[in-house]
Amino acid sequence: MLKNFFCCTLLIMILFILPGCRDVQYKVMMPESSQMKYLLFPAASYKNNLNRAIIVSGEELYFKEKIAYYVQDTEVLSDKENFTLYSDEQYINLINQLNIEIGKWGKNTDLRRIEYFKENDFMLLTLVFKSGRKSFFRYKVSDKHKVSSAESGIEMLR
């Protein structure tokens, strides 16, 4: 009986208390790092049927002339000018559409979904993997293709 009580208490702690004890520790990154991730949104002038945001690395954002993304199984290359780091009022819909697309990728990705929101002047991007692991990225946009500060984070127990 005491053993069952102990097991139940431990389970309750794991489920309800420990998740609140997590904290994200960020480290400064070079904005152009291949390890840094950003969300790009289709520019209003982009005449295509892309209805979602796309994920790019810092290397793609800074050093590639064209941005690559997939529509179903077809790779599409598009000029960088067709995208922006700035999100307008429709960004929630564009992110929801990206998450729907990630769901369609099934076994072709280890991503489950992305989470994105603005906190003061910073954009917060979280990649949530099927394993439960999360990768955190925080950045400040200075231009439609430039970042003034970039950080990546890992989740730590307090």
Side-chain angles (χ1 to χ4, degrees), residues 16 21-22 27 33-34 40 45 52 113 139 142:
F16 297 105
C21 296
R22 295 185 188 274
K27 67 177 181 176
S33 169
S34 63
L40 286 181
S45 61
R52 63 178 171 84
R113 71 179 183 283
Y139 54 95
S142 62

Side-chain angles (χ1 to χ4, degrees), residues 28-32 36 38 61-62 85-86 121-123 138-151:
V28 174
M29 301 285 288
M30 297 298 295
E32 63 273 8
M36 203 53 210
Y38 303 101
L61 181 65
Y62 278 85
L85 286 162
Y86 289 117
D121 293 337
F122 285 91
M123 310 306 162
R138 182 167 59 187
Y139 54 95
K140 186 174 182 180
V141 176
S142 62
D143 188 310
K144 68 182 195 173
H145 299 119
K146 298 267 189 257
V147 173
S148 60
S149 68
E151 302 170 309

Side-chain angles (χ1 to χ4, degrees), residues 50-105:
L50 182 65
N51 66 343
R52 63 178 171 84
I54 62 173
I55 304 168
V56 297
S57 69
E59 183 178 40
E60 290 172 295
L61 181 65
Y62 278 85
F63 300 122
K64 303 283 182 169
E65 297 269 330
K66 302 250 184 205
I67 298 294
Y69 63 92
Y70 282 87
V71 175
Q72 295 169 350
D73 291 336
T74 305
E75 184 179 43
V76 176
L77 291 174
S78 183
D79 292 332
K80 192 185 304 186
E81 291 302 313
N82 291 326
F83 298 94
T84 179
L85 286 162
Y86 289 117
S87 56
D88 62 13
E89 65 277 352
Q90 292 188 22
Y91 78 93
I92 293 171
N93 182 47
L94 296 171
I95 291 166
N96 287 338
Q97 291 300 318
L98 173 58
N99 280 324
I100 289 169
E101 186 69 19
I102 289 170
K104 291 177 184 177
W105 296 342

